[in-house]
Amino acid sequence: MAHAAAHHPAVLHADLDAFYASVEQLLDPALRGRPIAVGGNERGGVVLAASYEAKAHGVHGGMAGWRARQLCPSITFVRGHFGEYQRLADAVMAVLADITPAVERISIDEAFLDITGATHLFGTPREIGRRIRAQVRHEVGLPISIGGARTKHLAKIASQVAKPDGLVVVEPGTEQTFLDPLPVGLMWGVGPVTERALTSEGIRTIGDLARARPKDVERLLGHATGAKLSALSHDEDPRRVSTGRVRSVGAQSAMGRNTPTSQSVRSVLNHLADRVAGRMRAKHRAGRTVTVRVRFVPMRSVTRSLTLDAPIATTLTLTEVAEQLVWQAISDQERPSEAMPEISLLAISVSNLVPQHVIQLELPLPPADPRRPGSATGVARWALDQSVDAIRAKFGTDVVDYLPAALGRRRGVPEEFRELAEHEL
DNA sequence: TCTGGGGTCCTAGGACCC
DNA sequence: TCTGGGGTCCTAGGACCC
């Protein structure tokens, strides 16, 4: 009785158009139809998002503000309304959840839906796509593009082709015809480096890639990337819509240029460790591998990592491990004179995460660490973090702050943006 | 003129185990 | 007489994505 077509796997990819910029134009009608940039300004800073009117001039996210002004003199820079972004994106996700519970949110403004089962209730993928777009437009007021296909990869490409404010469904049986003429750069996993490598071999379209021998592609790009892209070019995508688990938690802080001192390194790491460990505790996770990144002037990054015997989730222990690793990275640097190398960024990330729903005693410190007098035990550290977490839950994040006053001002990015980025998980 | 912040996955060599 | 073979984990670096 069921149609054969109903048994095709069906995936939608829903992607809000120029999300931050569209929200600003929704909130302030005077901005509609005009080139705007969220974040940055004519003197510098980074553009977080550009409206389509600005994109038409070549402006895009990640671009320096001065460059955006150069390309588009009439551009308007606006400050972000980060709370609104979260609220409106959540409202859109609620529309998606009305269609199916099988929603995989991959960033604040983007999600996959497995609608294989929902077609019985709501009709064909095209009909479901139309329904979602209309509902998001009417209930939230934002433009959204949707791609539909049998696989995630193709659904995502279809939504990119649909932009702005469109719907493209790739009907079963037409996949290769759809893919072949498209540029390889549209494929998931092809960035500037891979695209250059492919172009150097005369491979410009997905069809070119599909016709190339997988062996040759693997030799060009490496085993995993080559095999993956060859398969994707033939519309072979094994990925299922699912809610993936978080594998690492991290935070970073850019610092202009800075000659590191024990105090400055310690206070920045304490701040970062507090963010990371606090989020881990909120998710009931602890982790065994601590990785730090140090970016030297000019723009050369190194990482150092250490895997502990037992997982940790306390701010102080994480700070101490990170501190060791950072000084290790700095002292590894070759330098012509006695001078301390300048650094421009510090980052901490914790991986090898495990669930941690009960109190676990942390092994204090790696043997190499010189224990300071008065250093708290694992239990005391855990208790300290618990009380800080509780106070913050009651009175807000700013009440207890590890951030030294010197770093409190002139931060590169609004604090709200950091919190938003955390929520993109 | 001056480059944000949060993630995932892959590679390659070495250590270590059976 | 001379050098197994597979698997896993760790570390450092890099490409890529939003």
Side-chain angles (χ1 to χ4, degrees), chain A residues 141-204:
Chain A
L142 290 171
I144 188 168
S145 293
I146 293 183
R150 285 196 288 201
T151 64
K152 288 168 81 168
H153 180 241
L154 204 45
K156 177 140 168 79
I157 292 184
S159 75
Q160 304 314 300
V161 173
K163 279 183 178 297
D165 201 12
L167 169 68
V168 169
V169 174
V170 183
E171 299 296 343
T174 68
E175 286 89 354
Q176 206 63 52
T177 317
F178 175 79
L179 280 175
D180 279 349
L182 298 175
V184 284
L186 277 182
M187 297 178 75
W188 203 93
V190 176
V193 175
T194 302
E195 185 168 14
R196 267 199 303 279
L198 290 170
T199 304
S200 74
E201 295 295 302
I203 297 172
R204 290 182 176 77

Short mmCIF file of all heavy atoms in Angstrom, two decimals, chain A residues 141-204:
data_model
loop_
_atom_site.label_atom_id
_atom_site.label_comp_id
_atom_site.label_asym_id
_atom_site.label_seq_id
_atom_site.Cartn_x
_atom_site.Cartn_y
_atom_site.Cartn_z
N GLY A 141 9.61 35.67 11.12
CA GLY A 141 9.91 36.84 10.31
C GLY A 141 11.25 36.78 9.60
O GLY A 141 11.74 37.81 9.13
N LEU A 142 11.83 35.60 9.50
CA LEU A 142 13.17 35.49 8.91
C LEU A 142 13.15 34.64 7.63
O LEU A 142 12.38 33.69 7.53
CB LEU A 142 14.14 34.86 9.90
CG LEU A 142 14.51 35.71 11.11
CD1 LEU A 142 15.30 34.89 12.11
CD2 LEU A 142 15.31 36.94 10.68
N PRO A 143 14.03 34.99 6.68
CA PRO A 143 14.18 34.15 5.49
C PRO A 143 15.02 32.91 5.79
O PRO A 143 16.03 33.01 6.50
CB PRO A 143 14.92 35.07 4.51
CG PRO A 143 15.70 36.00 5.37
CD PRO A 143 14.91 36.17 6.64
N ILE A 144 14.61 31.78 5.26
CA ILE A 144 15.35 30.55 5.48
C ILE A 144 15.40 29.76 4.17
O ILE A 144 14.41 29.73 3.43
CB ILE A 144 14.71 29.71 6.61
CG1 ILE A 144 15.59 28.52 6.98
CG2 ILE A 144 13.30 29.26 6.25
CD1 ILE A 144 15.16 27.82 8.28
N SER A 145 16.55 29.17 3.90
CA SER A 145 16.67 28.36 2.69
C SER A 145 16.70 26.88 3.08
O SER A 145 17.22 26.52 4.13
CB SER A 145 17.96 28.71 1.93
OG SER A 145 17.86 30.02 1.42
N ILE A 146 16.11 26.06 2.21
CA ILE A 146 16.02 24.63 2.51
C ILE A 146 16.44 23.82 1.30
O ILE A 146 16.05 24.11 0.17
CB ILE A 146 14.58 24.27 2.94
CG1 ILE A 146 14.28 24.94 4.30
CG2 ILE A 146 14.40 22.75 3.05
CD1 ILE A 146 12.93 24.61 4.88
N GLY A 147 17.24 22.79 1.59
CA GLY A 147 17.60 21.82 0.57
C GLY A 147 17.08 20.46 0.99
O GLY A 147 17.06 20.13 2.17
N GLY A 148 16.65 19.69 0.00
CA GLY A 148 16.13 18.35 0.30
C GLY A 148 16.77 17.33 -0.61
O GLY A 148 17.03 17.61 -1.79
N ALA A 149 17.05 16.13 -0.07
CA ALA A 149 17.65 15.06 -0.87
C ALA A 149 17.63 13.78 -0.05
O ALA A 149 17.10 13.75 1.05
CB ALA A 149 19.09 15.41 -1.26
N ARG A 150 18.23 12.73 -0.63
CA ARG A 150 18.27 11.47 0.11
C ARG A 150 19.39 11.45 1.14
O ARG A 150 19.37 10.64 2.06
CB ARG A 150 18.44 10.30 -0.86
CG ARG A 150 17.16 9.98 -1.61
CD ARG A 150 17.24 8.62 -2.25
NE ARG A 150 18.14 8.63 -3.39
CZ ARG A 150 18.11 7.71 -4.36
NH1 ARG A 150 17.22 6.73 -4.32
NH2 ARG A 150 18.94 7.78 -5.36
N THR A 151 20.40 12.29 0.98
CA THR A 151 21.54 12.28 1.90
C THR A 151 21.79 13.68 2.48
O THR A 151 21.36 14.69 1.91
CB THR A 151 22.84 11.84 1.20
OG1 THR A 151 23.15 12.82 0.20
CG2 THR A 151 22.67 10.47 0.56
N LYS A 152 22.51 13.69 3.60
CA LYS A 152 22.84 14.96 4.24
C LYS A 152 23.70 15.84 3.33
O LYS A 152 23.46 17.05 3.20
CB LYS A 152 23.62 14.70 5.54
CG LYS A 152 22.77 14.13 6.65
CD LYS A 152 23.63 13.63 7.80
CE LYS A 152 24.06 14.75 8.73
NZ LYS A 152 24.64 14.19 9.98
N HIS A 153 24.71 15.22 2.73
CA HIS A 153 25.63 16.00 1.91
C HIS A 153 24.90 16.71 0.78
O HIS A 153 25.06 17.92 0.56
CB HIS A 153 26.71 15.06 1.32
CG HIS A 153 27.70 15.76 0.45
ND1 HIS A 153 27.87 15.45 -0.87
CD2 HIS A 153 28.56 16.76 0.72
CE1 HIS A 153 28.82 16.23 -1.38
NE2 HIS A 153 29.25 17.03 -0.44
N LEU A 154 24.02 15.97 0.10
CA LEU A 154 23.31 16.56 -1.03
C LEU A 154 22.26 17.57 -0.55
O LEU A 154 22.05 18.60 -1.20
CB LEU A 154 22.66 15.45 -1.85
CG LEU A 154 22.38 15.78 -3.31
CD1 LEU A 154 23.56 16.47 -3.95
CD2 LEU A 154 22.04 14.51 -4.08
N ALA A 155 21.63 17.31 0.58
CA ALA A 155 20.67 18.27 1.12
C ALA A 155 21.36 19.59 1.44
O ALA A 155 20.83 20.67 1.21
CB ALA A 155 20.00 17.69 2.37
N LYS A 156 22.59 19.47 1.98
CA LYS A 156 23.32 20.70 2.32
C LYS A 156 23.72 21.47 1.07
O LYS A 156 23.61 22.71 1.02
CB LYS A 156 24.56 20.36 3.16
CG LYS A 156 25.41 21.56 3.50
CD LYS A 156 25.91 21.48 4.92
CE LYS A 156 26.99 22.51 5.22
NZ LYS A 156 26.45 23.84 5.48
N ILE A 157 24.19 20.76 0.07
CA ILE A 157 24.53 21.44 -1.18
C ILE A 157 23.28 22.08 -1.77
O ILE A 157 23.30 23.23 -2.23
CB ILE A 157 25.16 20.45 -2.19
CG1 ILE A 157 26.53 20.01 -1.69
CG2 ILE A 157 25.26 21.08 -3.57
CD1 ILE A 157 27.28 19.12 -2.66
N ALA A 158 22.16 21.37 -1.72
CA ALA A 158 20.91 21.91 -2.27
C ALA A 158 20.50 23.20 -1.58
O ALA A 158 20.04 24.15 -2.22
CB ALA A 158 19.80 20.86 -2.16
N SER A 159 20.69 23.28 -0.25
CA SER A 159 20.31 24.50 0.45
C SER A 159 21.23 25.66 0.06
O SER A 159 20.80 26.81 0.00
CB SER A 159 20.30 24.29 1.96
OG SER A 159 21.61 24.25 2.48
N GLN A 160 22.51 25.36 -0.20
CA GLN A 160 23.42 26.41 -0.66
C GLN A 160 23.00 26.92 -2.03
O GLN A 160 23.03 28.13 -2.30
CB GLN A 160 24.86 25.90 -0.73
CG GLN A 160 25.41 25.31 0.57
CD GLN A 160 25.10 26.16 1.78
OE1 GLN A 160 25.51 27.31 1.86
NE2 GLN A 160 24.35 25.60 2.73
N VAL A 161 22.58 26.00 -2.90
CA VAL A 161 22.12 26.38 -4.23
C VAL A 161 20.81 27.17 -4.12
O VAL A 161 20.55 28.07 -4.91
CB VAL A 161 21.93 25.13 -5.11
CG1 VAL A 161 21.29 25.48 -6.44
CG2 VAL A 161 23.28 24.44 -5.35
N ALA A 162 20.01 26.84 -3.10
CA ALA A 162 18.70 27.49 -2.94
C ALA A 162 18.83 28.95 -2.48
O ALA A 162 17.93 29.75 -2.69
CB ALA A 162 17.85 26.71 -1.93
N LYS A 163 19.94 29.28 -1.82
CA LYS A 163 20.09 30.61 -1.24
C LYS A 163 20.11 31.70 -2.30
O LYS A 163 20.66 31.47 -3.37
CB LYS A 163 21.39 30.67 -0.42
CG LYS A 163 21.22 30.06 0.95
CD LYS A 163 22.48 30.19 1.77
CE LYS A 163 22.28 29.63 3.16
NZ LYS A 163 21.25 30.34 3.94
N PRO A 164 19.57 32.88 -1.98
CA PRO A 164 18.90 33.20 -0.72
C PRO A 164 17.40 32.93 -0.79
O PRO A 164 16.80 33.09 -1.85
CB PRO A 164 19.15 34.71 -0.58
CG PRO A 164 19.23 35.20 -1.99
CD PRO A 164 19.77 34.05 -2.82
N ASP A 165 16.85 32.57 0.35
CA ASP A 165 15.40 32.48 0.54
C ASP A 165 14.75 31.55 -0.49
O ASP A 165 13.77 31.91 -1.12
CB ASP A 165 14.78 33.89 0.46
CG ASP A 165 13.42 33.94 1.14
OD1 ASP A 165 13.07 32.98 1.86
OD2 ASP A 165 12.71 34.94 0.95
N GLY A 166 15.31 30.35 -0.63
CA GLY A 166 14.77 29.44 -1.64
C GLY A 166 14.63 28.01 -1.14
O GLY A 166 14.96 27.69 -0.01
N LEU A 167 14.12 27.17 -2.03
CA LEU A 167 13.92 25.75 -1.74
C LEU A 167 14.37 24.95 -2.96
O LEU A 167 13.91 25.21 -4.07
CB LEU A 167 12.43 25.48 -1.47
CG LEU A 167 11.98 24.02 -1.41
CD1 LEU A 167 12.57 23.32 -0.19
CD2 LEU A 167 10.45 23.93 -1.38
N VAL A 168 15.28 24.01 -2.75
CA VAL A 168 15.71 23.13 -3.84
C VAL A 168 15.64 21.70 -3.35
O VAL A 168 16.25 21.35 -2.33
CB VAL A 168 17.14 23.45 -4.31
CG1 VAL A 168 17.65 22.36 -5.24
CG2 VAL A 168 17.18 24.80 -5.02
N VAL A 169 14.85 20.87 -4.03
CA VAL A 169 14.77 19.45 -3.69
C VAL A 169 15.36 18.65 -4.84
O VAL A 169 14.98 18.85 -5.99
CB VAL A 169 13.31 19.03 -3.42
CG1 VAL A 169 13.23 17.52 -3.21
CG2 VAL A 169 12.75 19.78 -2.21
N VAL A 170 16.30 17.77 -4.51
CA VAL A 170 16.90 16.90 -5.53
C VAL A 170 16.10 15.60 -5.53
O VAL A 170 16.16 14.83 -4.57
CB VAL A 170 18.38 16.64 -5.23
CG1 VAL A 170 18.99 15.80 -6.34
CG2 VAL A 170 19.13 17.95 -5.07
N GLU A 171 15.36 15.38 -6.61
CA GLU A 171 14.50 14.19 -6.66
C GLU A 171 15.35 12.93 -6.81
O GLU A 171 16.37 12.95 -7.51
CB GLU A 171 13.53 14.31 -7.85
CG GLU A 171 12.58 15.51 -7.78
CD GLU A 171 11.62 15.46 -6.59
OE1 GLU A 171 11.45 14.37 -5.99
OE2 GLU A 171 11.05 16.51 -6.25
N PRO A 172 14.92 11.85 -6.16
CA PRO A 172 15.64 10.59 -6.28
C PRO A 172 15.83 10.21 -7.74
O PRO A 172 14.90 10.30 -8.54
CB PRO A 172 14.71 9.59 -5.58
CG PRO A 172 13.97 10.41 -4.58
CD PRO A 172 13.78 11.76 -5.23
N GLY A 173 17.04 9.83 -8.09
CA GLY A 173 17.35 9.46 -9.47
C GLY A 173 18.03 10.57 -10.24
O GLY A 173 18.64 10.32 -11.28
N THR A 174 17.94 11.80 -9.72
CA THR A 174 18.53 12.92 -10.46
C THR A 174 19.81 13.43 -9.78
O THR A 174 20.33 14.47 -10.16
CB THR A 174 17.54 14.09 -10.57
OG1 THR A 174 17.33 14.64 -9.26
CG2 THR A 174 16.21 13.63 -11.14
N GLU A 175 20.29 12.68 -8.80
CA GLU A 175 21.41 13.18 -7.98
C GLU A 175 22.64 13.52 -8.81
O GLU A 175 23.20 14.62 -8.70
CB GLU A 175 21.79 12.16 -6.90
CG GLU A 175 20.79 12.07 -5.75
CD GLU A 175 19.68 11.07 -6.00
OE1 GLU A 175 19.62 10.52 -7.13
OE2 GLU A 175 18.88 10.82 -5.09
N GLN A 176 23.07 12.56 -9.64
CA GLN A 176 24.32 12.78 -10.36
C GLN A 176 24.19 13.93 -11.35
O GLN A 176 25.12 14.73 -11.51
CB GLN A 176 24.76 11.49 -11.06
CG GLN A 176 26.27 11.40 -11.30
CD GLN A 176 27.07 11.37 -10.00
OE1 GLN A 176 26.81 10.55 -9.13
NE2 GLN A 176 28.04 12.26 -9.85
N THR A 177 23.03 14.03 -11.98
CA THR A 177 22.80 15.13 -12.92
C THR A 177 22.89 16.48 -12.20
O THR A 177 23.38 17.46 -12.75
CB THR A 177 21.39 15.00 -13.54
OG1 THR A 177 21.18 13.64 -13.88
CG2 THR A 177 21.25 15.88 -14.75
N PHE A 178 22.40 16.49 -10.98
CA PHE A 178 22.43 17.72 -10.18
C PHE A 178 23.85 18.07 -9.78
O PHE A 178 24.29 19.22 -9.88
CB PHE A 178 21.54 17.53 -8.94
CG PHE A 178 21.58 18.67 -7.98
CD1 PHE A 178 20.86 19.84 -8.21
CD2 PHE A 178 22.34 18.59 -6.82
CE1 PHE A 178 20.88 20.89 -7.31
CE2 PHE A 178 22.38 19.63 -5.91
CZ PHE A 178 21.64 20.79 -6.17
N LEU A 179 24.59 17.05 -9.32
CA LEU A 179 25.93 17.29 -8.77
C LEU A 179 26.95 17.67 -9.84
O LEU A 179 27.78 18.57 -9.63
CB LEU A 179 26.44 16.03 -8.06
CG LEU A 179 25.94 15.74 -6.65
CD1 LEU A 179 26.48 14.39 -6.17
CD2 LEU A 179 26.42 16.84 -5.71
N ASP A 180 26.94 16.96 -10.97
CA ASP A 180 28.04 17.02 -11.92
C ASP A 180 28.52 18.43 -12.30
O ASP A 180 29.72 18.68 -12.28
CB ASP A 180 27.69 16.24 -13.19
CG ASP A 180 27.92 14.74 -13.01
OD1 ASP A 180 28.54 14.36 -11.99
OD2 ASP A 180 27.47 13.94 -13.86
N PRO A 181 27.62 19.36 -12.61
CA PRO A 181 28.12 20.67 -13.06
C PRO A 181 28.55 21.60 -11.93
O PRO A 181 29.13 22.65 -12.20
CB PRO A 181 26.91 21.26 -13.80
CG PRO A 181 25.72 20.57 -13.22
CD PRO A 181 26.17 19.23 -12.75
N LEU A 182 28.32 21.23 -10.67
CA LEU A 182 28.61 22.16 -9.58
C LEU A 182 30.10 22.21 -9.27
O LEU A 182 30.80 21.20 -9.40
CB LEU A 182 27.84 21.74 -8.31
CG LEU A 182 26.31 21.76 -8.44
CD1 LEU A 182 25.67 21.21 -7.17
CD2 LEU A 182 25.82 23.17 -8.73
N PRO A 183 30.61 23.36 -8.83
CA PRO A 183 32.03 23.48 -8.50
C PRO A 183 32.38 22.64 -7.26
O PRO A 183 31.58 22.53 -6.33
CB PRO A 183 32.21 24.97 -8.21
CG PRO A 183 30.84 25.49 -7.92
CD PRO A 183 29.89 24.63 -8.68
N VAL A 184 33.56 22.04 -7.26
CA VAL A 184 33.98 21.18 -6.13
C VAL A 184 33.96 21.93 -4.80
O VAL A 184 33.78 21.32 -3.75
CB VAL A 184 35.39 20.59 -6.33
CG1 VAL A 184 35.36 19.45 -7.32
CG2 VAL A 184 36.38 21.67 -6.71
N GLY A 185 34.15 23.25 -4.87
CA GLY A 185 34.19 24.03 -3.65
C GLY A 185 32.90 23.98 -2.85
O GLY A 185 32.89 24.30 -1.66
N LEU A 186 31.80 23.56 -3.47
CA LEU A 186 30.53 23.45 -2.75
C LEU A 186 30.47 22.20 -1.88
O LEU A 186 29.60 22.08 -1.03
CB LEU A 186 29.35 23.41 -3.74
CG LEU A 186 28.82 24.73 -4.26
CD1 LEU A 186 27.62 24.50 -5.18
CD2 LEU A 186 28.41 25.65 -3.10
N MET A 187 31.39 21.26 -2.10
CA MET A 187 31.34 20.03 -1.32
C MET A 187 31.77 20.26 0.11
O MET A 187 32.67 21.07 0.38
CB MET A 187 32.25 18.96 -1.94
CG MET A 187 31.84 18.56 -3.33
SD MET A 187 32.98 17.34 -4.01
CE MET A 187 32.47 15.89 -3.13
N TRP A 188 31.13 19.51 1.00
CA TRP A 188 31.49 19.58 2.41
C TRP A 188 32.88 18.99 2.59
O TRP A 188 33.13 17.85 2.17
CB TRP A 188 30.48 18.79 3.23
CG TRP A 188 30.41 19.22 4.64
CD1 TRP A 188 29.57 20.14 5.19
CD2 TRP A 188 31.22 18.72 5.70
NE1 TRP A 188 29.82 20.26 6.52
CE2 TRP A 188 30.82 19.42 6.87
CE3 TRP A 188 32.24 17.78 5.79
CZ2 TRP A 188 31.40 19.19 8.11
CZ3 TRP A 188 32.83 17.56 7.02
CH2 TRP A 188 32.42 18.26 8.17
N GLY A 189 33.81 19.77 3.13
CA GLY A 189 35.16 19.27 3.34
C GLY A 189 36.15 19.78 2.31
O GLY A 189 37.35 19.49 2.42
N VAL A 190 35.69 20.54 1.33
CA VAL A 190 36.61 21.14 0.37
C VAL A 190 36.77 22.62 0.70
O VAL A 190 35.85 23.41 0.50
CB VAL A 190 36.11 20.98 -1.08
CG1 VAL A 190 37.05 21.70 -2.05
CG2 VAL A 190 36.00 19.50 -1.44
N GLY A 191 37.91 22.97 1.26
CA GLY A 191 38.23 24.36 1.55
C GLY A 191 39.24 24.86 0.54
O GLY A 191 39.48 24.20 -0.47
N PRO A 192 39.84 26.01 0.82
CA PRO A 192 40.77 26.62 -0.15
C PRO A 192 41.94 25.71 -0.52
O PRO A 192 42.31 25.63 -1.70
CB PRO A 192 41.27 27.86 0.60
CG PRO A 192 40.23 28.14 1.63
CD PRO A 192 39.61 26.84 1.98
N VAL A 193 42.52 25.02 0.46
CA VAL A 193 43.71 24.20 0.17
C VAL A 193 43.36 23.03 -0.73
O VAL A 193 44.04 22.77 -1.74
CB VAL A 193 44.33 23.69 1.50
CG1 VAL A 193 45.49 22.74 1.21
CG2 VAL A 193 44.81 24.85 2.35
N THR A 194 42.30 22.31 -0.37
CA THR A 194 41.88 21.16 -1.17
C THR A 194 41.44 21.59 -2.56
O THR A 194 41.73 20.93 -3.56
CB THR A 194 40.74 20.42 -0.45
OG1 THR A 194 41.19 20.03 0.85
CG2 THR A 194 40.32 19.18 -1.21
N GLU A 195 40.74 22.71 -2.62
CA GLU A 195 40.28 23.20 -3.91
C GLU A 195 41.46 23.52 -4.84
O GLU A 195 41.44 23.16 -6.02
CB GLU A 195 39.39 24.45 -3.72
CG GLU A 195 38.79 24.93 -5.02
CD GLU A 195 37.70 25.96 -4.80
OE1 GLU A 195 37.59 26.50 -3.69
OE2 GLU A 195 36.95 26.23 -5.76
N ARG A 196 42.49 24.15 -4.27
CA ARG A 196 43.68 24.44 -5.09
C ARG A 196 44.32 23.16 -5.59
O ARG A 196 44.74 23.06 -6.75
CB ARG A 196 44.70 25.24 -4.26
CG ARG A 196 44.57 26.74 -4.41
CD ARG A 196 45.84 27.47 -3.96
NE ARG A 196 46.23 27.16 -2.60
CZ ARG A 196 45.69 27.72 -1.51
NH1 ARG A 196 44.76 28.64 -1.64
NH2 ARG A 196 46.10 27.39 -0.30
N ALA A 197 44.41 22.15 -4.70
CA ALA A 197 45.04 20.88 -5.09
C ALA A 197 44.26 20.24 -6.23
O ALA A 197 44.84 19.73 -7.19
CB ALA A 197 45.11 19.95 -3.89
N LEU A 198 42.92 20.26 -6.14
CA LEU A 198 42.10 19.65 -7.18
C LEU A 198 42.22 20.43 -8.49
O LEU A 198 42.36 19.84 -9.57
CB LEU A 198 40.64 19.60 -6.73
CG LEU A 198 40.34 18.60 -5.60
CD1 LEU A 198 38.92 18.79 -5.06
CD2 LEU A 198 40.53 17.16 -6.08
N THR A 199 42.18 21.76 -8.39
CA THR A 199 42.28 22.59 -9.60
C THR A 199 43.59 22.34 -10.33
O THR A 199 43.65 22.33 -11.56
CB THR A 199 42.16 24.08 -9.23
OG1 THR A 199 40.92 24.26 -8.53
CG2 THR A 199 42.16 24.95 -10.47
N SER A 200 44.65 22.12 -9.54
CA SER A 200 45.96 21.90 -10.16
C SER A 200 45.96 20.64 -11.03
O SER A 200 46.81 20.47 -11.90
CB SER A 200 47.04 21.78 -9.08
OG SER A 200 46.94 20.53 -8.42
N GLU A 201 45.03 19.74 -10.79
CA GLU A 201 44.89 18.53 -11.61
C GLU A 201 43.76 18.67 -12.62
O GLU A 201 43.30 17.68 -13.19
CB GLU A 201 44.64 17.31 -10.72
CG GLU A 201 45.80 16.98 -9.80
CD GLU A 201 47.04 16.54 -10.57
OE1 GLU A 201 46.94 15.57 -11.33
OE2 GLU A 201 48.09 17.20 -10.42
N GLY A 202 43.25 19.88 -12.76
CA GLY A 202 42.19 20.11 -13.74
C GLY A 202 40.81 19.69 -13.26
O GLY A 202 39.87 19.62 -14.05
N ILE A 203 40.68 19.43 -11.96
CA ILE A 203 39.37 19.01 -11.42
C ILE A 203 38.67 20.24 -10.86
O ILE A 203 39.07 20.77 -9.82
CB ILE A 203 39.55 17.94 -10.33
CG1 ILE A 203 40.19 16.70 -10.94
CG2 ILE A 203 38.22 17.61 -9.67
CD1 ILE A 203 40.58 15.64 -9.93
N ARG A 204 37.62 20.69 -11.56
CA ARG A 204 36.93 21.91 -11.15
C ARG A 204 35.49 21.65 -10.71
O ARG A 204 34.98 22.31 -9.82
CB ARG A 204 36.95 22.93 -12.29
CG ARG A 204 38.34 23.49 -12.52
CD ARG A 204 38.39 24.55 -13.62
NE ARG A 204 39.75 25.09 -13.69
CZ ARG A 204 40.76 24.45 -14.26
NH1 ARG A 204 40.58 23.25 -14.81
NH2 ARG A 204 41.96 25.00 -14.27
#
